[in-house]
């Protein structure tokens, strides 16, 4: 039950946080949407180019979503429901694509299946994979690890008791699947489908690289804003892109509450079956090879003099990238990622503490405001920030990028902290109050140490996403604060694929190192 | 002598009355149980007494001093919750030691060494001297509740409040913990207020029992008088219902035995 707020210092802090969210998310968004008043929205929407881009966006996203969800469903079954070994290693390998920007996936695909791709040349394919299927394959590679992680968790925590009861009743495997598994998966699956769809439909990295003439809405928005500075048209497209993200957010919220209420009585018992395990092993190896092909391709390409004309190993591309500022931009990225991982995590912890540890009506309002960013694609948030902060001193500074990245990636780490704080004994502060131990002391000495594993996960999430994002920052960065990932789009525009590959590899390396450091820290600090 | 005098406590949440002019006294060194069904207001009384919640009106007098508006830390009361509320990241010993070092009531009184010695003494009292270096999650529910009791007792409060501390424990653990709790109360002479919905537990532990329903007190009396001289129909039915349940269980048990 949520209780009515009483005036207290914590109420004041909650109000302050709500005001912060108003300025950080809601007002910029309103500013962007208000721009539409100056645009002939009807003309934009009914334009042939727009309707074609919309139709193509929906078709390509729908196709890629179906394939990504099917693939991740199969893969999550193979890992969660079989007795294959080394599941931690498998999970790590499967989720490696989450450490590189979407545009790098597209680039990997171009290297393999582009007009001069090594596989295209080997198979004698002409013209390459550009267009519909290029975007579909690139989007699947970029999005399926996220869908996989969601489904893997759902399957891992499914209650095994109904299956045991069904077995006693003599139900066949087919009946068990239709009577138990499918109804259980229905709601999480809706969340997974919408989350994947939103991820794909709002991405411009993959279509920019392998789309060719196949125009999608995010690419159109990117080109209109970056190329023609047409903010009005950008706002109209931004509003359209908000719709699937908003639906995904609402569905996720509805299903999340159900998920938390679920009570796992018995873990699912995996029976012995060598045949099934071998099939699962085959699926995992197949997917991991698919995942690593583009990554390995661009890693090698970064050290090839000029593909495909000069295949000698060379550091020329690295030198070229460094000459064009890769080290400086890497420093920028590290500054942004480190600051955001600390500031964003601190803000998420503060917010989550206020919402998860005191269930008042104001906490609920704050909770809703805190997860708003789930419903705002990065590219839309970036545009909203350009319009809202343009005439403020913060615009064009590092602080602007700290803020936009903290907000763009806020919802997931916030929800991690919210769930963790919600699970920690709700009487700790009461015991502290009765003993005369201050709230802050209890937070510092008891609550935060208990949440340390989650805090490190949150920092890792902020860091990795800041290193690889090209969405919100693309409209806001300038030469002084440009992050490294934006060099990929720059090199892509200049047809310097080898340099772009080197930059992608640099980002992947930094993210792998950071992931490892935080993994070791997590092992040491989790009690 | 009265340890606590509670006068006309009233409390409502979102316009719904939870306590209606509740008045009672608690004697020094007494074990008082507050008995009633879920939602009768017993936990609200406890939270108001300790200072975690404030009453809409009414007064709380402790040792002749009005403590109604005092913060929880200054009331010299301790509380033991159903879910133990132990510091999961600390060892059993550190849980008690930390309370001694950080509590406003004992801060500065103990060096680290003295606090550790006192903590060991308290944990020995509750039979946990072999588990000092374990984390709470490595203990059983009963053992965890013993740590919570030791941590509260270590701070030497005038009154200890128990919020259904045994409702999550199995029957055997409850029985042994009951006996230990009664023993500790005799030894320390601390006034204890115990919230429960389990009549058997209340009869076994209490000097007096306060029967509540819907935010009002129906009777505050000795266990014997509750059975012999119930104040009204509610108490009579409440007591009889419990006895009936027991009798029915015994009859059922006897039948099952006969059928064997």
């Amino acid at each position: 039950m949520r209780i009515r707020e009483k005036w207290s210092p914590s109420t004041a802090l909650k109000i302050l946080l709500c005001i912060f969210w108003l300025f950080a998310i809601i007002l910029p968004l309103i500013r962007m949407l208000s721009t539409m008043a100056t645009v002939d929205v009807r003309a934009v929407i009914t334009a042939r180019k727009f309707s074609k881009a919309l139709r193509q966006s929906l078709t390509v996203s729908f196709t890629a979503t179906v394939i990504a969800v099917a693939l991740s469903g199969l893969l999550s079954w193979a890992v969660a429901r079989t007795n294959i070994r080394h599941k931690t290693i498998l999970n790590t390998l499967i989720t490696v694509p989450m450490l590189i920007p979407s545009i790098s996936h597209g680039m990997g695909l171009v290297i393999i299946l582009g007009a001069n791709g090594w596989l295209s040349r080997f198979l004698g394919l002409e013209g390459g994979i550009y267009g519909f299927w290029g975007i579909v394959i690139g989007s699947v590679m970029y999005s399926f690890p996220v869908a996989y992680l969601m489904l893997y968790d759902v399957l891992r925590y499914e209650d095994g008791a109904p299956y045991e009861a069904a077995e006693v009743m003599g139900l066949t495997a087919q009946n068990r699947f239709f009577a138990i598994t499918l109804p259980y998966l229905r709601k999480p699956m809706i969340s997974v489908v919408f989350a994947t769809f939103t991820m794909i439909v709002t991405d411009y990295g993959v279509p920019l690289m392998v789309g060719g003439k196949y125009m999608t809405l995010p690419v159109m928005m990117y080109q209109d804003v970056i190329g023609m500075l047409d903010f009005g048209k950008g706002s109209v497209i931004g509003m359209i892109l908000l719709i699937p993200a908003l639906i995904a957010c609402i569905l996720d919220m509805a299903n999340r509450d159900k998920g938390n209420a679920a009570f796992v009585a018995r873990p699912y018992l995996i029976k012995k079956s060598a045949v099934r395990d071998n099939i699962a092993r085959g699926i995992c190896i197949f997917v991991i090879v698919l995942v690593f092909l583009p990554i390995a391709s661009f890693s090698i390409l970064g050290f090839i003099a000029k593909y495909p004309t000069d295949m000698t190993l060379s550091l020329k591309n690295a030198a070229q990238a460094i000459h064009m500022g890769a080290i400086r931009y890497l420093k920028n990225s590290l500054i942004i990622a480190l600051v955001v991982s600390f500031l964003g995590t601190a803000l998420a912890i503060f917010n989550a503490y206020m919402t998860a540890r005191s269930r008042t009506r104001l906490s609920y309002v704050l909770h809703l405001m805190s997860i708003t960013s789930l419903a705002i694609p990065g590219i839309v948030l970036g545009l909203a920030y350009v319009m809202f902060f343009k005439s403020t001193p913060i615009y064009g500074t590092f602080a602007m990028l700290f803020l936009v990245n903290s907000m763009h990636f806020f919802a997931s780490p916030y929800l991690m902290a919210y769930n963790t704080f919600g699970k920690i004994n709700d009487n700790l502060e009461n015991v502290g109050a009765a003993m005369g131990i201050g709230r802050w002391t209890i937070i510092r000495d008891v609550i935060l140490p208990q949440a340390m594993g989650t805090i490190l996960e949150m920092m890792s999430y902020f860091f990795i996403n800041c290193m690889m994002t090209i969405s919100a920052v693309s409209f806001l960065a300038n030469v002084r604060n440009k992050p490294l990932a934006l060099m990929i789009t720059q090199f892509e525009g200049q047809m310097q694929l080898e340099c772009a590959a080197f930059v992608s590899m640099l980002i992947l390396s930094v993210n792998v190192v950071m992931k490892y450091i935080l993994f070791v820290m997590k092992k040491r600090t989790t009690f | 002598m009265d340890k606590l005098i509670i006068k006309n406590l009233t409390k409502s949440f979102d316009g719904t009355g939870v306590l209606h002019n509740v008045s009672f006294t608690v004697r020094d060194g007494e074990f008082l149980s507050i008995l009633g069904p879920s939602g009768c207001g017993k936990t609200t009384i406890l939270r108001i007494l300790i200072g975690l919640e404030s009453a809409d009106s009414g007064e709380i007098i402790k040792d002749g001093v009005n403590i109604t508006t005092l913060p929880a830390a200054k009331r010299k009361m301790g509380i033991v919750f159903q879910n133990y509320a132990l510091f999961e990241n600390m060892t059993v010993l550190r849980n008690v030691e930390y309370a001694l070092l950080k509590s406003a009531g004992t801060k500065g009184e103990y060096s680290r060494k003295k606090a550790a010695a006192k903590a060991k003494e308290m944990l020995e009292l509750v039979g946990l001297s072999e588990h000092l270096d374990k984390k709470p999650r490595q203990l059983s529910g009963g053992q965890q509740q013993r740590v919570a009791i030791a941590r509260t007792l270590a701070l030497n409060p005038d009154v200890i409040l128990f919020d259904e501390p045994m409702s999550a424990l199995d029957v055997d653990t409850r029985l042994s913990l009951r006996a230990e709790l009664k023993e500790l109360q005799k030894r320390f002479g601390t006034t204890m207020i115990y919230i429960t919905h389990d009549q058997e537990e209340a009869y076994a532990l209490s000097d007096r029992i306060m029967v509540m329903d819907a935010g009002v007190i129906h009777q505050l009396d000795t266990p014997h008088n509750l059975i012999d001289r119930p104040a009204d129909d509610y108490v009579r039915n409440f007591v009889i219902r419990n006895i009936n349940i027991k009798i029915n269980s015994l009859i059922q048990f006897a039948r099952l035995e006969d059928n064997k």
Side-chain angles (χ1 to χ4, degrees):
Chain A
M1 186 181 75
R2 290 179 218 294
I3 54 170
R4 202 164 39 199
E5 197 79 30
K6 275 188 205 158
W7 186 255
S8 67
S10 110
T11 313
L13 286 174
K14 282 179 205 167
I15 292 172
L16 270 178
L17 282 172
C18 285
I19 294 170
F20 170 79
W21 285 110
L22 199 67
F23 280 91
I25 297 268
I26 294 162
L27 289 178
L29 215 57
I30 292 172
R31 173 72 185 82
M32 186 197 82
L33 295 176
S34 69
T35 311
M36 290 195 304
T38 60
V39 184
D40 186 352
V41 178
R42 202 169 160 208
V44 174
I45 290 176
T46 52
R48 211 174 147 262
K49 197 181 162 196
F50 178 89
S51 53
K52 190 179 173 193
L54 175 64
R55 196 177 57 248
Q56 293 187 159
S57 278
L58 292 175
T59 318
V60 83
S61 303
F62 178 76
T63 314
T65 302
V66 171
I67 298 172
V69 172
L71 182 66
S72 53
L74 192 66
L75 196 62
S76 53
W77 167 83
V79 182
R81 288 292 166 83
T82 64
N83 287 319
I84 53 172
R85 288 189 295 167
H86 310 304
K87 291 187 179 181
T88 312
I89 297 173
L90 282 176
N91 276 331
T92 310
L93 293 176
I94 291 167
T95 52
V96 163
M98 291 168 79
L99 304 180
I100 51 171
S102 61
I103 195 165
S104 302
H105 290 278
M107 186 176 57
L109 208 59
V110 169
I111 298 164
I112 301 170
L113 287 164
N116 283 314
W118 60 262
L119 193 60
S120 307
R121 288 155 66 92
F122 180 74
L123 297 173
L125 300 172
E126 279 188 22
I129 193 87
Y130 306 99
F132 178 82
W133 285 109
I135 303 175
V136 168
I137 299 173
S139 299
V140 168
M141 294 195 143
Y142 154 66
S143 64
F144 95 86
V146 176
Y148 163 77
L149 279 184
M150 290 169 88
L151 283 172
Y152 177 70
D153 267 356
V154 171
L155 286 181
R156 204 161 65 140
Y157 296 115
E158 189 183 1
D159 187 2
Y163 289 91
E164 289 179 0
E167 201 179 331
V168 172
M169 287 158 68
L171 292 186
T172 62
Q174 193 186 356
N175 284 337
R176 285 202 292 265
F177 178 76
F178 284 108
I180 305 167
T181 315
L182 264 193
Y184 171 72
L185 282 179
R186 193 171 52 91
K187 282 196 169 174
M189 196 56 108
I190 294 170
S191 280
V192 174
V193 167
F194 270 87
T196 311
F197 182 82
T198 305
M199 218 178 146
I200 295 169
V201 83
T202 58
D203 171 57
Y204 79 87
V206 172
L208 194 69
M209 194 55 103
V210 286
K213 287 177 183 167
Y214 198 90
M215 179 66 77
T216 62
L217 279 186
V219 175
M220 195 176 170
M221 180 177 174
Y222 176 76
Q223 288 175 349
D224 280 335
V225 175
I226 293 277
M228 294 182 272
L229 299 175
D230 190 345
F231 292 108
K233 198 171 163 192
S235 304
V236 176
I237 302 173
M239 192 201 68
I240 303 286
L241 291 177
L242 274 176
I243 297 169
L246 198 65
I247 295 172
C249 176
I250 292 166
L251 285 169
D252 191 48
M253 275 169 66
N255 289 337
R256 200 182 290 272
D257 286 342
K258 288 273 177 201
N260 283 350
F263 174 71
V264 178
R266 277 179 92 79
Y268 183 87
L269 194 70
I270 305 166
K271 292 198 175 142
K272 282 187 179 171
S273 165
V275 177
R276 181 206 57 206
D277 289 356
N278 281 332
I279 294 171
R281 207 169 287 124
I283 293 170
C284 290
I285 291 168
F286 174 71
V287 173
I288 288 167
V289 168
L290 275 189
V291 161
F292 276 86
L293 265 183
I295 294 173
S297 298
F298 71 64
S299 298
I300 295 167
L301 185 75
F303 296 100
I304 283 177
K306 184 71 191 168
Y307 181 83
T309 49
D310 181 0
M311 295 294 280
T312 52
L313 286 177
S314 159
L315 289 173
K316 203 181 83 188
N317 304 309
Q320 167 79 353
I322 289 166
H323 175 70
M324 289 182 76
I327 298 300
R328 185 155 46 96
Y329 297 140
L330 174 64
K331 271 188 205 159
N332 288 349
S333 277
L334 288 172
I335 290 170
I336 295 165
L338 282 171
V339 171
V340 171
S341 69
F342 279 99
L343 279 185
T345 304
L347 184 65
I349 288 172
F350 185 38
N351 243 279
Y353 183 84
M354 288 295 172
T355 53
R357 306 286 295 176
S358 82
R359 309 249 170 186
T360 62
R361 284 172 193 167
L362 191 54
S363 306
Y364 189 60
V365 173
L366 185 58
H367 176 66
L368 288 180
M369 289 176 115
S370 307
I371 56 171
T372 318
S373 64
L374 264 185
I376 307 170
I379 195 167
V380 179
L381 188 67
L383 182 61
Y385 265 47
V386 170
M387 293 172 172
F388 188 73
F389 288 103
K390 198 161 189 183
S391 47
T392 63
I394 194 179
Y395 189 76
T397 64
F398 268 103
M400 182 83 275
L401 300 189
F402 298 155
L403 184 66
V404 78
N405 278 338
S406 299
M407 295 304 100
H408 179 198
F409 302 116
F410 188 81
S412 292
Y414 161 77
L415 284 169
M416 289 182 207
Y418 179 81
N419 288 333
T420 301
F421 287 154
K423 282 175 193 157
I424 292 175
N425 195 307
D426 55 358
N427 277 318
L428 289 177
E429 289 91 339
N430 289 336
V431 159
M435 287 177 179
I437 304 173
R439 181 177 285 257
W440 165 240
T441 311
I442 289 286
I443 293 173
R444 186 194 61 201
D445 295 344
V446 183
I447 294 175
L448 291 184
Q450 288 191 39
M452 197 44 80
T454 306
I455 292 170
L456 291 171
E457 281 286 332
M458 293 160 70
M459 292 181 80
S460 162
Y461 183 90
F462 273 120
F463 184 93
I464 285 165
N465 280 291
C466 283
M467 281 303 296
M468 62 183 201
T469 185
I470 55 165
S471 57
V473 289
S474 62
F475 299 146
L476 293 160
N478 54 38
V479 261
R480 278 176 290 119
N481 58 17
K482 187 162 107 174
L484 184 65
L486 288 182
M487 279 194 100
I488 303 174
T489 46
Q490 179 193 332
F491 284 133
E492 188 270 342
Q494 296 163 351
M495 308 292 281
Q496 290 181 291
L497 217 55
E498 295 81 2
C499 291
F502 174 76
V503 170
S504 297
M505 206 200 60
L506 216 53
I507 292 171
L508 176 65
S509 310
V510 170
N511 280 345
V512 168
V513 170
M514 181 50 75
K515 195 95 181 147
Y516 180 72
I517 291 171
L518 287 167
F519 171 74
V520 172
M521 281 173 76
K522 195 177 166 186
K523 265 198 143 180
R524 284 189 186 164
T525 52
T526 308
F527 62 93
Chain B
M1 189 196 153
D2 291 331
K3 186 75 180 173
L4 282 169
I5 302 169
I6 287 91
K7 292 183 193 168
N8 303 321
L9 278 191
T10 301
K11 177 75 184 173
S12 59
F13 291 112
D14 288 341
T16 308
V18 179
L19 296 176
H20 309 284
N21 274 318
V22 170
S23 300
F24 62 99
T25 57
V26 187
R27 295 169 196 151
D28 196 8
E30 182 179 33
F31 198 115
L32 175 86
S33 287
I34 304 180
L35 185 64
S38 298
C40 72
K42 51 190 193 298
T43 296
T44 307
I45 289 188
L46 189 126
R47 290 178 66 84
I48 292 172
L49 287 181
I50 191 95
L52 295 174
E53 204 80 61
S54 53
D56 296 341
S57 62
E59 278 187 346
I60 305 164
I61 315 288
K62 180 173 151 262
D63 294 323
V65 180
N66 189 336
I67 59 160
T68 316
T69 54
L70 269 189
K74 294 191 175 173
R75 297 188 182 202
K76 273 217 94 190
M77 293 189 194
I79 187 161
V80 175
F81 289 101
Q82 181 190 341
N83 59 10
Y84 327 126
L86 295 178
F87 308 141
E88 296 285 339
N89 55 319
M90 300 178 190
T91 62
V92 166
L93 179 66
R94 182 75 185 137
N95 258 274
V96 183
E97 191 189 280
Y98 179 85
L100 287 163
L101 289 170
K102 300 282 178 176
S103 167
T106 52
K107 211 172 183 177
E109 197 181 305
Y110 288 94
S111 63
R112 183 90 193 235
K113 208 172 160 186
K114 266 178 81 182
K118 173 83 176 170
K120 276 182 193 165
E121 183 194 327
M122 299 313 296
L123 288 162
E124 200 172 323
L125 264 180
V126 294
L128 288 174
S129 43
E130 284 173 19
H131 303 282
L132 301 180
D133 295 325
K134 286 185 181 164
K135 291 277 172 70
R137 67 164 70 168
Q138 295 173 283
L139 304 180
S140 68
Q143 288 171 327
Q144 290 192 53
Q145 200 52 288
R146 284 184 179 91
V147 180
I149 292 168
R151 186 177 64 179
T152 310
L153 276 172
L155 298 174
N156 201 21
D158 295 338
V159 181
I160 302 182
L161 311 175
F162 294 88
D163 188 6
E164 307 207 27
M166 298 189 203
S167 54
L169 306 177
D170 62 75
V171 179
D172 285 346
T173 312
R174 276 176 173 202
L175 287 174
S176 64
L177 204 55
R178 260 186 220 168
E180 284 170 37
L181 195 58
K182 196 70 191 164
E183 187 57 41
L184 285 169
Q185 199 230 356
K186 270 187 200 160
R187 184 174 179 144
F188 286 87
T190 316
T191 308
M192 292 185 175
I193 301 177
Y194 193 94
I195 299 280
T196 183
H197 58 263
D198 182 341
Q199 289 197 40
E200 201 180 298
E201 206 161 87
Y203 290 130
L205 285 168
S206 317
D207 298 313
R208 288 191 303 157
I209 297 171
M210 184 163 103
V211 178
M212 282 189 75
D213 184 48
V216 293
I217 300 171
H218 283 272
Q219 189 168 359
L220 171 53
D221 220 323
T222 60
H224 189 267
N225 282 350
L226 278 184
I227 297 168
D228 268 8
R229 288 189 285 276
D232 56 24
D233 285 347
Y234 179 82
V235 179
R236 187 175 297 113
N237 291 335
F238 193 68
V239 172
I240 287 171
R241 196 166 57 231
N242 186 50
I243 293 169
N244 279 341
I245 291 168
K246 294 250 162 13
I247 291 169
N248 287 335
S249 302
L250 283 172
I251 292 168
Q252 199 178 8
F253 175 73
R255 280 183 188 152
L256 287 169
E257 283 294 302
D258 285 347
N259 290 341
K260 270 184 184 175

